[in-house]
Amino acid sequence: MGDLLLNKIQNKIKITSKIKNYEVIFENNFDKILKNFPTDSVLIIDKNLKKKLEKKIRKKKFKILYIIASEKIKSFEKIDEIIKKLIKISVNKTTTVVAIGGGTIQDLVAFISSIFFRGIDWIFVPTTLLSQCDSCIGGKTSINFYGIKNQLGNFYPPNRIFVNFNFLKDISNRDLKAGLGEMSHFYFVSGNSDFLIFDRYLKEALNRRQDVIKKIIKRSLSIKKKFIEKDEFDKKERILLNYGHSFGHAIEKITNFKIPHGIAVANGMNIANFTSFKMNYISKNQFNKMNDTLDRLLGSDKLKKFKTDELIKALKKDKKNLKGSIRLILTKGLGKMFVKNIKNPNKLRDILIDYQNTLRRK
Ligand SMILES: NC(=O)c1ccc[n+]([C@@H]2O[C@H](COP(=O)([O-])OP(=O)(O)OC[C@H]3O[C@@H](n4cnc5c(N)ncnc54)[C@H](O)[C@@H]3O)[C@@H](O)[C@H]2O)c1
């Protein structure tokens, strides 16, 4: 069953969108990818990739901006700086911007492309595991605001996405883990068959087995495709993909973004599962089964201690909250995630303290 699901995927994934249809093209030859960029494109590239790409790109005479990637670039200050640079190099309405980098470069460039001349074309070449398995599709753009994660943004998908798996050879172990952490939430939300696939291939993925990573990336995108095509603007089914994210974003905030997004999300999933267990939505066995997989994924990055009140405070500021309550995605089992509005944070505070005590006892 597992391999059947993994092998079904083609070399192209088409996404139907109310904004514009677009596609993900899997292409491992970077020179071939370059041929798809219009001659007057401006390339905005993660500075970490400069050495690797400079020679190849130089032949093409594109205008290039290099950016040091980090969560901090998702800011108004950086938007201001980049837009000034784009104006200086005479970007016009017909210019295509090409983003080459991970999720932070994507969120920044997508947002800028959406507001520049009320929207210019952009292409994305995701270069981290997280951006290849998740963020490259779905069309969300996000900027952090006064420390609140992804507070501002809109929907503005790229015209095309080129996934080149060779980029993944150089990502750090932490970013590999972060990518797998982010990826895991699709497999848990999808249901038991997909969870078992993820569980089975996790060890090989952590050991950088390229053939395995390629397959699980494609499956991950296929799961996300189903959700975003049904509910592109996050009103119904897609909300469930926020599983692990409310806690995850709060963890990022209280650690001043020192914990990578995907690692925060995987920890957030475990806390959401524990909360579900304590609220009697799942049994201890169900919690343990998921906890075991997340343990193997997170290893020493499992967050065992945090400032509970700060976490609650950050949760209260989450953009998904409605009318003063904290909106969480909890679970009644694999594939059975649901929205739960928590009106009384004291109960949640007790659960979070219990969570940390339980981990400390282990
Ligand atoms: N728009 C969306 O739908 C969406 C979805 C999920 C996550 N996100 C956002 O994505 C961001 C996280 O993305 P990320 O994990 O890609 O982080 P990132 O862009 O900061 O990249 C992580 C690190 O990897 C480096 N890097 C990039 N490509 C590399 C390569 N090929 N080899 C070696 N190093 C490389 C970067 O320089 C950086 O140091 C978060 O801000 C998150 O909120 C957005």
Side-chain angles (χ1 to χ4, degrees):
M1 176 68 178
D3 282 314
L4 252 179
L5 282 175
L6 284 187
N7 290 330
K8 256 192 334 200
I9 302 149
Q10 326 269 308
N11 252 344
K12 209 182 246 190
I13 295 180
K14 290 187 177 174
I15 310 290
T16 306
S17 157
K18 292 195 178 70
I19 303 168
K20 61 172 174 275
N21 294 343
Y22 55 100
E23 53 189 16
V24 183
I25 297 149
F26 298 98
E27 174 55 70
N28 277 343
N29 182 335
F30 189 71
D31 290 325
K32 281 193 184 160
I33 294 178
L34 276 179
K35 286 189 184 138
N36 289 276
F37 306 161
T39 42
D40 64 342
S41 297
V42 174
L43 275 47
I44 302 185
I45 305 176
D46 185 325
K47 202 163 184 188
N48 263 333
L49 302 168
K50 187 173 180 184
K51 251 196 203 152
K52 194 182 170 91
L53 301 182
E54 210 168 22
K55 251 196 200 157
K56 292 184 179 180
I57 293 171
R58 204 178 290 147
K59 291 181 247 159
K60 296 281 182 183
K61 300 197 172 71
F62 294 119
K63 289 172 182 155
I64 302 170
L65 302 178
Y66 288 103
I67 300 184
I68 299 172
S70 88
E71 195 60 41
K72 301 262 175 326
I73 64 169
K74 293 174 45 168
S75 69
F76 269 128
E77 293 71 31
K78 202 70 188 177
I79 291 176
D80 183 280
E81 181 194 317
I82 300 293
I83 290 184
K84 279 182 189 146
K85 284 184 179 159
L86 291 178
I87 291 171
K88 211 170 166 191
I89 55 175
S90 308
V91 163
N92 60 56
K93 272 186 175 185
T94 60
T95 306
T96 298
V97 174
V98 180
I100 307 179
T104 55
I105 300 268
Q106 172 195 349
D107 273 346
L108 174 72
V109 173
F111 192 67
I112 291 172
S113 304
S114 75
I115 56 173
F116 208 77
F117 297 124
R118 295 201 187 85
I120 54 174
D121 287 346
W122 78 288
I123 290 172
F124 185 36
V125 182
T127 63
T128 57
L129 178 55
L130 184 144
S131 56
Q132 292 194 353
C133 74
D134 176 1
S135 65
C136 67
I137 61 169
K140 284 186 183 173
T141 84
S142 310
I143 295 296
N144 305 328
F145 193 62
Y146 282 92
I148 304 173
K149 176 87 179 178
N150 295 347
Q151 180 86 343
L152 307 174
N154 56 18
F155 290 89
Y156 197 69
N159 295 51
R160 291 170 105 188
I161 297 146
F162 293 95
V163 171
N164 179 337
F165 296 118
N166 289 328
F167 278 112
L168 302 182
K169 288 179 188 154
D170 301 322
I171 60 167
S172 67
N173 284 337
R174 201 129 198 259
D175 285 317
L176 174 74
K177 215 186 247 191
L180 289 168
E182 181 79 296
M183 186 193 289
S184 67
H185 88 282
F186 293 119
Y187 286 84
F188 283 50
V189 171
S190 179
N192 196 48
S193 306
D194 272 308
F195 167 80
L196 290 175
I197 292 178
F198 186 80
D199 186 68
R200 183 160 126 225
Y201 288 113
L202 175 60
K203 192 171 169 204
E204 285 160 321
L206 284 167
N207 287 332
R208 294 179 180 261
R209 272 268 309 268
Q210 288 296 316
D211 54 331
V212 165
I213 292 178
K214 282 178 203 173
K215 282 185 180 179
I216 58 176
I217 287 175
K218 287 184 175 183
R219 177 68 192 152
S220 176
L221 290 174
S222 306
I223 298 170
K224 183 167 179 179
K225 171 182 155 79
K226 276 191 251 160
F227 282 87
I228 59 179
E229 287 186 339
K230 245 193 229 160
D231 172 29
E232 186 168 12
F233 302 116
D234 230 352
K235 303 280 181 223
K236 250 177 118 191
E237 293 88 347
R238 190 175 177 179
I239 292 175
L240 301 182
L241 294 183
N242 284 307
Y243 167 59
H245 281 68
S246 302
F247 287 118
H249 289 165
I251 290 169
E252 285 185 89
K253 159 103 179 95
I254 66 170
T255 56
N256 200 15
F257 298 104
K258 286 201 177 71
I259 296 187
H261 176 71
I263 290 179
V265 167
N267 274 295
M269 287 162 59
N270 208 46
I271 300 175
N273 296 343
F274 189 79
T275 308
S276 308
F277 161 52
K278 285 289 159 179
M279 291 187 167
N280 294 320
Y281 293 116
I282 55 172
S283 66
K284 187 140 199 225
N285 277 348
Q286 282 173 299
F287 169 74
N288 284 341
K289 179 175 164 178
M290 294 186 265
N291 180 55
D292 176 59
T293 307
L294 291 170
D295 260 355
R296 279 186 282 123
L297 165 56
L298 286 166
S300 57
D301 284 305
K302 181 112 176 245
L303 190 67
K304 297 191 169 171
K305 207 173 155 224
F306 46 80
K307 290 188 173 138
T308 311
D309 286 329
E310 279 189 24
L311 195 88
I312 300 261
K313 199 171 150 201
L315 280 171
K316 282 183 179 164
K317 292 204 172 136
D318 193 280
K319 62 183 180 304
K320 293 178 292 296
N321 293 343
L322 296 174
K323 290 181 205 135
S325 58
I326 296 174
R327 198 180 211 201
L328 297 175
I329 310 300
L330 298 185
T331 180
K332 293 179 182 170
L334 290 160
K336 294 177 189 153
M337 280 56 185
F338 67 101
V339 178
K340 172 86 182 165
N341 291 309
I342 309 269
K343 294 201 176 76
N344 177 6
N346 288 333
K347 191 174 174 195
L348 186 60
R349 182 177 290 110
D350 291 344
I351 292 174
L352 293 174
I353 291 168
D354 194 3
Y355 178 73
Q356 295 167 79
N357 289 336
T358 308
L359 291 190
R360 237 173 274 151
R361 278 196 298 271
K362 275 196 172 177

